[in-house]
């Protein structure tokens, strides 16, 4: 009879738990609303229910509701049909009283079972409508001037500004806006987080702006990213500012609003750059009275140590697992070092981590798996070990102790005990090499291989050659420095090389059929050549004085005529109709020939 009673009780518990897990009844509403503002309070249910009962609503007036909507969907996955449905009950409320109000859970009946929703808190604040009223009559330029750092700004929020070394800081990167419609953002530059190890909090940012009460005013905030920061050294660490450009939508002013104006996009988007303020974090060192077993773990942890068997045969494997779970800098926890018996062969531990990053920090577990192989028979003990961490809440060190394990190892197959090696036990073998060693006592003479290097020709050359090379390098370097000091001479020497580089760029433009770029490069090659060759600034050069300079240098008249003709052709071709590729080819070759002839004729 008792067994039947417990069986029925267990079935009832399982069915109730399954029902509770299957049915979801959720209340949603804004977190902050303005006094006199209308908003929606919605209850969503994934199964059909009846008899919805609202909690007592104080400080709000129910204007409409409940308005019921149903959504049903059917899917075929791998030949199997699955269907789901959702029911939403919506109320429209009016905020009439300033303050914070908590909506108690609503109740509804599903298949004869009473289901409760979650509770929800709404804050009602007094909000000024001055800016909103002005915005409807202002031009877009006036609206843009009204966008200041008071109604649109960025901020890096941290949950604490003073932490212990290794204690995480949760940072939220957010946009704050009031009476400004931000439709997008771009060119996001995240802080560098120097001095911190970082871990992103997955799924923390929402896809919509949320209302917040900032000094009695409603600001709409968007969380770009949330991240955990683990300080790597003590002292003051600064979180650099973040930067981004907000795309703000302004209402364009119309001369006369018609019936169809609302159906068209009468808006203008402007880009507003913003930059947050740097944030200072004070990192305190952990107390200096740390036990020897402390290895940098900070947080709240538990330790569990197990072995899969305590009675084995020689060469059979034993697995020992050390699992550390809790909340803290889990990724920085190192494997524990056990004092295993000398007769055990132990491999490096394998690490398995199951970690989750949330607003509360990094939680989960880290497991170290040790593979142990006994090589000799006997009774052995794996001594207890300590794991010490610093609890920042309690501000003290806490030590967890693993149990002591007794291991019995039997002889291997064939009755071989393997307990001795050449009449020495393994414990004795450990001391071989630490005891007295005998030196070699027989008489021997060293044998020299080859001739003695000291005093030979190669010996003296090894000193003389490096000194000679150093002197040659010194003289060459002094000569090069003296030549580089004569700027005019250097420019003269490299004039032809610079011109050829310009002509190479012109050749690329010629192959790409870029007319303007081709003629520009030809002109630059000629002007730069004359400037470098005669040490004249470009601003003092003109076609007239170039002709005079070349005549003065006794350049052949034919070369001067060709040079001036190329200048005229390039200047004319930049504004003339497109030339053919053959004409550009011939001009390119003519320029090379002319510069080559000039280089030979200039004295």
């Amino acid at each position: 009879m008792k067994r039947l009673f417990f069986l029925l009780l267990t079935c009832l518990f399982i069915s109730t738990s399954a029902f509770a897990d299957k049915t979801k009844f959720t209340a949603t509403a804004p977190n902050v609303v303005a006094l006199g503002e209308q908003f929606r309070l919605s209850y969503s249910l994934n199964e059909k229910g009846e008899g919805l009962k609202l909690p007592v609503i104080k400080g709000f007036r129910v204007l409409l509701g409940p308005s019921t909507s149903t959504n049903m969907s059917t899917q075929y996955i791998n030949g199997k049909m699955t269907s789901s449905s959702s029911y939403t009950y919506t109320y429209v409320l009016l905020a009439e009283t300033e303050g914070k109000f908590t909506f108690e859970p609503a109740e509804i009946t599903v298949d004869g079972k009473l289901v409760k929703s979650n509770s929800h808190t709404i804050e009602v604040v007094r909000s000024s409508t001055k800016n909103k009223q002005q915005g409807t009559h202002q031009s877009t330029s006036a609206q843009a001037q009204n966008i200041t750092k008071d109604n649109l700004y960025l901020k890096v929020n941290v949950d604490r500004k003073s932490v212990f070394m290794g204690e995480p800081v949760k940072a939220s990167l957010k946009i704050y806006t009031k009476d400004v419609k931000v439709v997008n953002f771009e060119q996001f530059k995240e802080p560098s987080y120097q001095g911190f190890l970082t871990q992103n909090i997955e799924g923390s940012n929402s896809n919509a702006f949320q209302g917040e009460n900032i000094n009695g005013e409603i600001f709409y905030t968007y969380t770009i990213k949330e991240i955990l920061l683990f300080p790597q050294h003590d002292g003051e660490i600064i979180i650099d500012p973040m930067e981004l450009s907000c795309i703000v939508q302004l209402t364009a002013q119309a001369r006369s609003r018609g019936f169809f104006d609302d159906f068209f996009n009468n808006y203008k988007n402007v880009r507003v750059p913003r930059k947050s303020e740097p944030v200072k974090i004070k990192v305190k060192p952990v107390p200096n009275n740390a036990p020897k077993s402390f290895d940098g773990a900070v947080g709240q942890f538990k330790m569990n140590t197990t072995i899969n068997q305590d009675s084995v045969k020689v060469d059979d494997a034993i697995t020992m697992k050390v699992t550390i779970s809790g909340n803290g800098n889990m990724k920085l926890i190192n494997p524990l070092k056990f004092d295993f018996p000398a007769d055990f062969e132990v491999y490096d531990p394998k690490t398995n981590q199951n970690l989750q990053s949330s607003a509360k920090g990094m939680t989960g577990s880290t497991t170290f798996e040790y593979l142990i192989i006994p090589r000799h028979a006997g009774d052995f003990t794996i001594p207890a070990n300590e794991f010490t961490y610093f609890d920042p809440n309690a501000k003290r060190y806490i030590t967890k102790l693993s149990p002591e394990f007794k291991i019995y190892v039997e002889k291997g197959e064939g009755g071989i005990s393997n307990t001795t090696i050449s009449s020495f036990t393994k414990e004795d073998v450990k001391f071989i090499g630490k005891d007295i060693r005998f030196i070699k006592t027989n008489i021997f003479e060293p044998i020299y291989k080859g001739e003695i290097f000291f005093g030979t020709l190669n010996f003296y050359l090894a000193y003389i050659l490096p000194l000679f090379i150093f002197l040659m390098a010194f003289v060459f370097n002094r000569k090069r420095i003296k030549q580089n000091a004569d700027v005019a001479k250097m420019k003269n020497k490299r004039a032809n090389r610079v011109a050829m580089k310009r002509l190479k760029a012109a050749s690329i433009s010629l192959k790409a059929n870029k007319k303007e770029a081709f003629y520009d490069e030809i002109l630059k090659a000629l002007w730069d050549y004359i400037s470098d060759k005669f040490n004249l600034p470009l601003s003092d050069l003109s076609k007239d004085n170039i002709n005079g300079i070349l005549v003065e240098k006794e350049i052949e008249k034919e070369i001067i005529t060709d040079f001036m003709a190329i200048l005229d052709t390039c200047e004319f071709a930049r504004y003339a109709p497109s030339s053919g590729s053959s004409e550009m080819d011939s001009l390119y070759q003519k320029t090379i020939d002319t510069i080559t002839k000039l280089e030979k004729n200039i004295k």
Side-chain angles (χ1 to χ4, degrees):
M1 189 66 181
K2 288 184 178 180
R3 290 182 179 178
L4 179 61
F5 173 75
F6 282 115
L7 181 61
L8 292 174
L9 187 63
T10 303
C11 292
L12 179 63
F13 175 76
I14 293 173
S15 63
T16 305
S17 301
F19 178 80
D21 292 339
K22 184 179 179 182
T23 305
K24 295 182 179 179
F25 188 31
T26 308
T28 56
N31 296 326
V32 181
V33 296
L35 186 64
E37 181 183 353
Q38 298 180 15
F39 64 94
R40 293 184 179 183
L41 172 64
S42 300
Y43 292 93
S44 300
L45 184 66
N46 62 344
E47 293 188 24
K48 189 173 183 180
E50 56 185 12
L52 175 63
K53 294 182 181 179
L54 282 183
V56 178
I57 298 177
K58 295 181 180 180
F60 301 90
R61 185 196 309 171
V62 180
L63 301 180
L64 181 67
S67 174
T68 307
S69 61
T70 305
N71 182 22
M72 304 188 70
S73 63
T74 303
Q75 292 180 333
Y76 285 89
I77 301 176
N78 297 329
K80 294 183 180 181
M81 183 183 72
T82 59
S83 60
S84 62
S85 58
S86 62
Y87 301 86
T88 305
Y89 306 89
T90 304
Y91 294 84
V92 178
L93 305 183
L94 175 69
E96 294 184 321
T97 307
E98 190 176 352
K100 271 192 176 182
F101 302 89
T102 299
F103 288 75
E104 297 298 329
E107 297 179 354
I108 195 169
T109 303
V110 179
D111 293 335
K113 304 291 183 180
L114 187 65
V115 181
K116 292 185 178 182
S117 72
N118 59 296
S119 60
H120 188 78
T121 301
I122 298 178
E123 185 176 7
V124 181
V125 299
R126 189 179 300 276
S127 180
S128 172
T129 59
K130 180 179 178 181
N131 292 336
K132 293 182 180 180
Q133 292 172 356
Q134 289 178 350
T136 59
H137 302 288
Q138 291 179 328
S139 64
T140 53
S141 60
Q143 293 177 55
Q145 291 178 358
N146 288 336
I147 301 175
T148 66
K149 292 184 179 179
D150 293 330
N151 55 18
L152 177 60
Y153 61 92
L154 308 179
K155 189 177 181 182
V156 178
N157 292 324
V158 293
D159 61 343
R160 64 194 86 178
K161 290 189 176 182
S162 178
V163 294
F164 284 99
M165 175 71 178
E167 186 180 7
V169 176
K170 190 193 85 169
S172 302
L173 281 56
K174 302 178 77 172
I175 303 174
Y176 288 79
T177 174
K178 182 186 70 172
D179 302 330
V180 177
K181 188 174 182 181
V182 178
V183 294
N184 202 351
F185 64 87
E186 57 187 23
Q187 297 176 352
F188 174 54
K189 181 182 178 183
E190 192 172 355
S192 60
Y193 307 117
Q194 282 191 334
F196 294 97
L197 283 179
T198 62
Q199 181 67 39
N200 291 334
I201 300 177
E202 301 296 337
S204 58
N205 57 318
S206 61
N207 295 323
F209 281 86
Q210 303 290 332
E212 285 189 23
N213 179 7
I214 307 295
N215 297 326
E217 294 187 281
I218 297 179
F219 277 75
Y220 289 93
T221 66
Y222 181 86
T223 302
I224 302 172
K225 190 175 185 179
E226 287 188 338
I227 192 168
L228 290 178
L229 307 176
F230 295 87
Q232 296 304 291
H233 62 82
D234 55 12
E236 186 177 80
I237 305 180
I238 297 178
I239 301 176
D240 297 333
M242 67 169 170
E243 301 178 29
L244 61 79
S245 294
C246 297
I247 307 302
V248 177
Q249 189 179 83
L250 305 180
T251 305
Q253 187 180 22
R255 293 181 179 177
S256 61
R257 290 187 61 85
F259 176 77
F260 294 100
D261 286 349
D262 293 336
F263 292 92
F264 298 95
N265 293 329
N266 198 18
Y267 302 107
K268 179 181 179 181
N269 290 340
V270 296
R271 182 179 288 102
V272 181
R274 284 292 182 262
K275 183 178 180 180
S276 68
E277 297 292 332
V279 180
K280 296 181 180 179
I281 305 296
K282 182 181 178 182
V283 182
K284 299 174 289 187
V286 295
N288 55 10
N289 59 338
K292 291 183 179 180
S293 55
F294 177 68
D295 198 22
V298 178
Q300 295 84 35
F301 303 102
K302 295 180 181 179
M303 183 176 69
N304 183 36
T305 307
T306 59
I307 58 172
N308 63 337
Q309 52 187 342
D310 57 6
S311 180
V312 294
K313 293 182 179 181
V314 171
D315 295 335
D316 285 349
I318 301 172
T319 300
M320 185 176 76
K321 292 183 179 181
V322 179
T323 301
I324 298 173
S325 59
N327 185 333
N329 55 349
M330 298 289 297
K331 281 194 172 182
L332 304 179
I333 296 177
N334 298 316
L336 275 65
K337 297 179 179 179
F338 287 83
D339 186 15
F340 291 103
D343 296 82
F344 285 7
E345 183 177 350
V346 182
Y347 293 87
D348 291 336
K350 178 182 177 183
T351 303
N352 296 313
Q353 292 184 328
N354 181 19
L355 305 177
Q356 296 176 347
S357 299
S358 65
K360 296 181 180 179
M362 185 176 291
T363 59
S365 63
T366 299
T367 301
F368 304 107
E369 187 173 329
Y370 300 80
L371 182 63
I372 308 165
I373 301 178
R375 294 306 186 189
H376 304 90
D379 292 326
F380 302 95
T381 299
I382 300 177
N385 200 358
E386 293 181 347
F387 168 69
T388 301
Y389 63 91
F390 178 73
D391 188 339
N393 294 335
K395 297 181 180 179
R396 64 186 181 92
Y397 293 98
I398 299 176
T399 299
K400 301 291 184 180
L401 192 65
S402 68
E404 181 182 85
F405 295 105
K406 300 288 187 181
I407 308 295
Y408 175 67
V409 182
E410 299 179 7
K411 295 178 181 180
E413 294 182 0
I416 302 174
S417 68
N418 295 330
T419 55
T420 61
I421 303 176
S422 302
S423 73
F424 290 95
T425 66
K426 190 173 181 181
E427 294 295 329
D428 295 328
V429 171
K430 288 198 307 179
F431 292 99
I432 295 178
K434 295 182 181 179
D435 206 347
I436 298 174
R437 294 186 176 186
F438 294 100
I439 61 175
K440 192 173 183 67
T441 57
N442 60 317
I443 301 173
F444 71 98
E445 293 183 0
I447 300 174
Y448 295 102
K449 186 177 181 180
E451 61 182 7
I452 299 174
F453 181 70
F454 181 78
T456 62
L457 177 62
N458 291 336
F459 174 80
Y460 294 109
L461 288 176
Y463 285 95
I464 296 172
L465 284 178
L467 180 61
F468 177 74
I469 294 171
F470 173 76
L471 292 174
M472 292 293 293
F474 178 78
V475 173
F476 176 78
N477 190 49
R478 289 295 299 271
K479 184 179 179 182
R480 184 179 60 83
I481 292 173
K482 187 176 179 180
Q483 289 177 349
N484 291 341
D486 190 349
V487 177
K489 187 175 181 180
M490 289 299 298
K491 291 179 68 175
N492 183 289
K493 289 180 65 177
R494 65 184 178 90
N496 186 58
R497 186 169 67 253
V498 172
M500 290 305 168
K501 284 185 178 180
R502 287 287 187 189
L503 291 177
K504 187 176 181 181
S507 174
I508 295 172
S509 300
L510 175 62
K511 292 177 182 178
N513 200 22
K514 295 181 179 179
K515 171 192 165 188
E516 292 186 9
F518 170 76
Y519 288 114
D520 282 342
E521 294 296 340
I522 294 291
L523 278 173
K524 289 177 182 178
L526 295 176
W527 286 98
D528 289 348
Y529 177 79
I530 296 298
S531 174
D532 291 341
K533 200 67 179 176
F534 301 112
N535 193 28
L536 295 173
L538 286 172
S539 58
D540 294 344
L541 294 179
S542 66
K543 288 197 295 184
D544 292 336
N545 61 12
I546 287 176
N547 186 68
I549 291 169
L550 295 178
V551 171
E552 183 182 347
K553 295 295 182 180
E554 300 179 0
I555 305 299
E556 294 180 9
K557 188 175 181 180
E558 182 183 352
I559 298 175
I560 298 175
T561 303
D562 290 343
F563 189 90
M564 302 306 294
I566 294 171
L567 289 178
D568 293 336
T569 302
C570 290
E571 290 183 351
F572 176 76
R574 293 172 66 188
Y575 307 101
S578 178
S579 303
S581 59
S582 61
E583 296 177 10
M584 295 166 68
D585 255 342
S586 62
L587 181 65
Y588 175 75
Q589 189 60 46
K590 184 179 181 180
T591 304
I592 294 177
D593 295 341
T594 301
I595 292 178
T596 304
K597 291 176 182 178
L598 266 175
E599 189 71 17
K600 293 178 180 179
N601 277 261
I602 292 175
K603 298 180 180 178

